[in-house]
Amino acid sequence: MSFKHELGQVVQVTISGEEGHIKARAEYTNMCNQYLIHYLAADGRAVDAWFEEGELSPAKLD
């Protein structure tokens, strides 16, 4: 299975609207692709968190 998003790409967490860039990605045999996103949380903290591929969309660049 190929990855939908590229390393370094800016993406949006679909449910919250927060944006960040992809630092890493993981491929598994028994589950969907995962991405480690570095983003600024709504409360102002810098966060690294893993998300499933379906939880992300490309960020809209203005």
Side-chain angles (χ1 to χ4, degrees):
M1 175 181 263
S2 63
F3 289 101
K4 181 178 177 181
H5 305 291
E6 299 295 325
L7 292 172
Q9 180 180 355
V10 178
V11 292
Q12 184 178 50
V13 180
T14 307
I15 196 163
S16 67
E18 295 162 322
E19 292 185 3
H21 70 275
I22 297 173
K23 290 177 69 173
R25 53 190 185 184
E27 180 178 28
Y28 300 97
T29 57
N30 61 346
M31 56 192 293
C32 60
N33 292 338
Q34 303 276 316
Y35 296 85
L36 178 63
I37 309 301
H38 182 73
Y39 65 99
L40 185 63
D43 63 4
R45 295 175 299 120
V47 179
D48 288 331
W50 286 95
F51 293 91
E52 293 181 2
E53 192 165 74
E55 297 176 311
L56 302 170
S57 58
K60 295 178 178 71
L61 302 175
D62 297 325

